[in-house]
Amino acid sequence: MRKAGIFGLLTASVAMLSACGNGNDENGNGSTDGGTIKVGVANEEPYGYIDTANNEVTGAAPEIARAVLQSIGYDDIEGTVADFGALIQGVNGGQFDIATAAMDIRPDRCENGSFGNIEMQYGEGIVVEAGNPMGIYSYEDIASNPDINVAVMRGANQIDYLNSLGIDESQYVLADSIADNMAAVESGQADVMVATDATANSAAQNNSSGNVEFVEDFTQPIIDGESVTAFGAAVFPQSEEGDELREAYNDGLQELLESGEILEILEEFGFTEANLPPDDITTEDRCNV
């Protein structure tokens, strides 16, 4: 992929990509005059993940962020892989200046983090035991059968969706990563893994055991009378510095949308034009639903 390799891999510590000038202020926060910026990424392919072959961080969300940040003058981009549920906390705690994981913009998250403009949209998907012995084709199927155990990532949207459909929390098998969720299905601890459609499909394709499968004829859940769609964006600190960075980022993001470069990046990771941000929904709309 032509944009892979922009982020150096960080798991326990931060590694700088290149020896350029540092644009951080005295508090360590990224400024918009170039230099070094710290980016938090979740390990959830294809949105953001570790390219183990090159020991680097890549994915649709971090590569969009890379293109935007470089366009607004940042010379060094430091990437840190963190648990999805810890990203907003990491932004607010100063571990990184921006979190990019195509995180769905939701009112509860807007209370704790400042979201940039929408970068992509996506739906839901599931992975089941090979042959789908429990006959699971929707979230509603899970809700109708209390014997189904469902693997889900802590902090993910899917927990709210399942709760709204009346699924009992005793059915949940919670984990901090997609790999652990997949392992739960493989071992029989869970009957199904719920995730976004791209995540579920990618996880199934990358699994070589033959014991699991992506459900192609999955029916999107209906919540409050509407089919579920998530709208992903980067997250910034709720501070004056964070607001300044967010506005500069939004300007750069708009330029990438207008040039068509965002679609090029999305397509490299298996997305299509249907995943582009909508024209009639804004971050403010999503924060106030």
Side-chain angles (χ1 to χ4, degrees):
M1 297 177 184
R2 63 181 174 83
K3 294 182 177 64
I6 297 301
F7 290 82
L9 170 62
L10 289 175
T11 49
S13 62
V14 174
M16 191 173 295
L17 289 175
S18 58
C20 299
N22 189 319
N24 289 359
D25 64 21
E26 63 182 2
N27 297 315
N29 297 313
S31 62
T32 56
D33 58 354
T36 301
I37 187 166
K38 299 173 291 183
V39 180
V41 180
N43 192 19
E44 184 177 356
E45 190 174 350
Y47 300 97
Y49 60 98
I50 302 168
D51 177 3
T52 55
N54 298 305
N55 201 38
E56 293 164 343
V57 174
T58 188
E63 297 302 347
I64 289 173
R66 175 212 64 80
V68 172
L69 293 170
Q70 288 193 336
S71 75
I72 62 175
Y74 283 94
D75 302 313
D76 296 324
I77 305 171
E78 301 175 354
T80 303
V81 174
D83 290 337
F84 180 86
L87 287 175
I88 291 181
Q89 180 181 357
V91 168
N92 289 329
Q95 283 93 338
F96 18 85
D97 306 297
I98 171 178
T100 177
M103 183 180 290
D104 186 27
I105 306 165
R106 299 175 61 84
D108 56 333
R109 292 172 178 167
C110 294
E111 292 178 1
N112 299 300
S114 180
F115 281 84
N117 289 344
I118 298 171
E119 299 177 2
M120 68 177 78
Q121 59 180 309
Y122 49 87
E124 298 296 293
I126 61 174
V127 174
V128 297
E129 181 184 343
N132 200 359
M134 300 291 285
I136 306 169
Y137 298 96
S138 67
Y139 286 0
E140 287 79 3
D141 286 340
I142 301 171
S144 67
N145 187 345
D147 293 330
I148 293 176
N149 290 323
V150 52
V152 60
M153 193 160 59
R154 289 185 177 89
N157 293 352
Q158 287 74 27
I159 293 176
D160 291 334
Y161 300 155
L162 297 174
N163 286 344
S164 69
L165 292 171
I167 295 173
D168 193 279
E169 292 187 3
S170 65
Q171 293 175 248
Y172 295 161
V173 179
L174 297 173
D176 290 319
S177 71
I178 294 300
D180 288 340
N181 284 334
M182 287 290 289
V185 177
E186 284 189 273
S187 67
Q189 185 181 7
D191 302 295
V192 57
M193 180 191 83
V194 296
T196 71
D197 52 1
T199 296
N201 192 18
S202 178
Q205 288 184 359
N206 291 332
N207 184 278
S208 59
S209 70
N211 297 326
V212 299
E213 66 179 56
F214 175 71
V215 176
E216 297 285 353
D217 47 353
F218 173 77
T219 300
Q220 291 295 322
I222 304 297
I223 307 294
D224 296 328
E226 295 185 4
S227 180
V228 167
T229 302
F231 299 90
V235 187
F236 304 82
Q238 292 179 323
S239 65
E240 184 176 344
E241 294 86 357
D243 290 344
E244 180 183 1
L245 176 58
R246 187 193 68 241
E247 292 307 309
Y249 186 96
N250 284 342
D251 289 342
L253 180 65
Q254 185 60 35
E255 291 180 7
L256 260 66
L257 278 166
E258 292 174 356
S259 70
E261 187 173 353
I262 281 189
L263 179 57
E264 293 177 10
I265 295 172
L266 288 172
E267 288 177 338
E268 290 179 0
F269 295 93
F271 296 96
T272 69
E273 191 171 350
N275 297 107
L276 284 170
D279 295 326
D280 57 346
I281 298 174
T282 68
T283 294
E284 184 178 2
D285 293 335
R286 292 293 296 170
C287 284
N288 292 291
V289 294

